[in-house]
Amino acid sequence: MFLKNAWYCAGWDYQVSQGKDAIVARKIAGKRVVLYRKSGGAVVAMEDQCPHRQAALSLGRKEGDALRCMYHGLKFESDGKCSEIPNVEKVPEHICVRTFPVVEMDNWIWVWMGDPAKADPALISRGVGPSDPDFTTRPSYIQVNASYLLENANLADLSHSSFTHDATIAMGLAQALAKPTHKVIPRGIKTDWWVRSVPVPKFVQHLFPPGFLCDANFDVTQTYPCNWMLHFRVFTAGTATEGESDGHLVLDSWSCQAVTPRDAESVDYYYSWGVSKKTEQPGLADLLKEGLDAAFNEDKRMLEAQQQRVKEDPHFKQMGIGAADGGPARMLRVIDQLIREEQEAERPTAVAA
């Protein structure tokens, strides 16, 4: 089950070019969508099926700002209205394709899947994109055959990093032993936590002297459907035991991630890691991207196996283990509440006799 009135990430802006054949098929929250750019640069998002016989419009042809179905030649303007049908003199007004509001922000393409009148850009999760002048950022992508609910639980609980990501981005047992604070916010949760005097992740240890220890802060905003914005800072190990580290700042970065459900059992995952210009070194942003690519393949392996078992045994009673479940429980409750409220608002009001 998905929220209709929400912005879903349909990809990075560079994935939809001005090319003649740049017609991009996506599946977003169970619905097939086709994306292309008009000559002025604006992205069009419309339902990826012709109203004639449900042919895939993503197999069509761009003609100016319009899209022609290459099954029987129906031509649809960027507003979804059919402007031409071969061998039909007057096109019936009811022949049209649904279009969706689109906003480009932080180098992501966002599509509103619900009531267009409610498409408020202020609800879009803000991140630090590759075009931000203060950061050097590398974008990436992975498809995972697991539910967006499993992804939400995974990202709301970083304690798994100490084990799933032991060879890549883990900081020893620090994530598993940390005590994060979670705060419920509109459409999501806010999480903040520190780890102190811990080793740096293995994939960057070669950049530091043996035995180097650091303090690190994870400041996360997580919102529906699974948009995850992390401000991640690393300092040399200081003496402070709470609040800001009194060590020297060695990394100021943002990892911005948008997980879009394709359907109930798969997601498209658009993510990046960006380093501030004040802590940047040549090649560092590339190294961080390589580390995330490796880590998310570790997640993919774990989550896809988990999805398989959830599907095979849907009535299995999962057992809580305390602190690791605090973030996931809060985030999943937020999602349940948002969907429930939307469904209740859509129910017809009973008419008194």
Side-chain angles (χ1 to χ4, degrees):
M1 189 68 69
F2 309 110
L3 200 63
K4 296 176 185 174
N5 290 315
W7 291 101
Y8 292 87
C9 183
W12 293 106
D13 52 7
Y14 72 83
Q15 294 177 311
V16 184
S17 78
Q18 287 272 21
K20 184 178 87 167
D21 300 319
I23 301 170
V24 178
R26 291 283 190 260
K27 193 175 184 184
I28 301 174
K31 187 167 289 293
R32 294 193 181 276
V33 176
V34 59
L35 307 169
Y36 68 93
R37 286 193 188 274
K38 297 195 291 185
S39 57
V43 175
V44 176
M46 62 174 62
E47 192 166 6
D48 189 10
Q49 57 180 349
C50 179
H52 174 220
R53 290 195 206 163
Q54 292 181 279
L57 292 177
S58 54
L59 298 178
R61 180 173 69 200
K62 288 170 68 173
E63 294 186 6
D65 289 348
L67 190 61
R68 187 180 294 278
C69 177
M70 294 304 288
Y71 192 23
H72 292 93
L74 281 72
K75 181 180 177 182
F76 297 94
E77 300 302 318
S78 60
D79 62 0
K81 293 179 181 177
C82 183
S83 59
E84 183 182 328
I85 302 175
N87 207 29
V88 174
E89 187 174 334
K90 182 174 179 171
V91 177
E93 289 188 7
H94 70 278
I95 297 183
C96 59
V97 178
R98 181 185 176 188
T99 60
F100 305 91
V102 177
V103 171
E104 290 190 70
M105 193 175 290
D106 303 319
N107 298 102
W108 274 323
I109 298 170
W110 297 94
V111 178
W112 181 266
M113 300 301 292
D115 180 355
K118 297 179 180 179
D120 181 3
L123 296 175
I124 294 174
S125 297
R126 296 306 308 268
V128 174
S131 64
D132 191 299
D134 296 324
F135 288 80
T136 300
T137 300
R138 298 289 183 261
S140 197
Y141 163 81
I142 192 171
Q143 181 181 331
V144 182
N145 294 317
S147 161
Y148 83 111
L149 298 176
L150 292 183
E151 283 284 6
N152 267 288
N154 184 65
L155 285 169
D157 158 38
L158 292 187
S159 69
H160 79 276
S161 294
S162 294
F163 304 98
T164 306
H165 305 307
D166 175 62
T168 53
I169 61 174
M171 307 177 87
L173 284 174
Q175 287 102 324
L177 300 178
K179 294 180 170 55
T181 60
H182 304 288
K183 177 184 176 183
V184 175
I185 60 174
R187 303 171 83 88
I189 62 172
K190 180 89 170 166
T191 301
D192 186 81
W193 47 289
W194 282 89
V195 292
R196 302 178 193 274
S197 295
V198 299
V200 294
K202 290 178 181 176
F203 84 104
V204 295
Q205 281 182 359
H206 62 282
L207 299 177
F208 299 91
F212 179 84
L213 298 178
C214 67
D215 297 339
N217 177 238
F218 299 76
D219 181 359
V220 180
T221 301
Q222 183 171 345
T223 56
Y224 183 93
C226 187
N227 304 316
W228 198 81
M229 312 303 171
L230 164 67
H231 188 195
F232 179 61
R233 295 177 298 148
V234 178
F235 304 78
T236 57
T239 59
T241 57
E242 57 183 43
E244 282 287 307
S245 171
D246 54 4
H248 173 68
L249 180 68
V250 294
L251 178 68
D252 181 22
S253 72
W254 280 88
S255 179
C256 298
Q257 306 171 21
V259 182
T260 299
R262 296 166 57 88
D263 49 39
E265 297 180 5
S266 65
V267 301
D268 287 317
Y269 200 150
Y270 309 97
Y271 60 93
S272 66
W273 202 341
V275 188
S276 70
K277 294 296 174 66
K278 62 186 177 183
T279 60
E280 180 187 17
Q281 300 174 29
L284 181 57
D286 299 298
L287 173 61
L288 295 179
K289 175 195 173 293
E290 291 166 6
L292 270 192
D293 287 342
F296 288 172
N297 273 289
E298 292 166 341
D299 275 328
K300 175 181 171 72
R301 181 169 173 263
M302 185 66 70
L303 290 170
E304 288 183 347
Q306 186 182 7
Q307 176 68 50
Q308 212 171 24
R309 284 151 182 77
V310 169
K311 184 177 180 179
E312 292 170 358
D313 194 358
H315 303 298
F316 181 85
K317 185 173 177 57
Q318 297 182 9
M319 300 178 184
I321 59 171
D325 301 320
R330 287 172 174 82
M331 188 63 205
L332 294 177
R333 277 199 298 269
V334 168
I335 293 173
D336 285 343
Q337 182 177 349
L338 287 170
I339 293 174
R340 186 170 60 251
E341 288 174 352
E342 183 174 89
Q343 290 177 332
E344 289 174 354
E346 290 178 344
R347 288 197 190 103
T349 305
V351 179

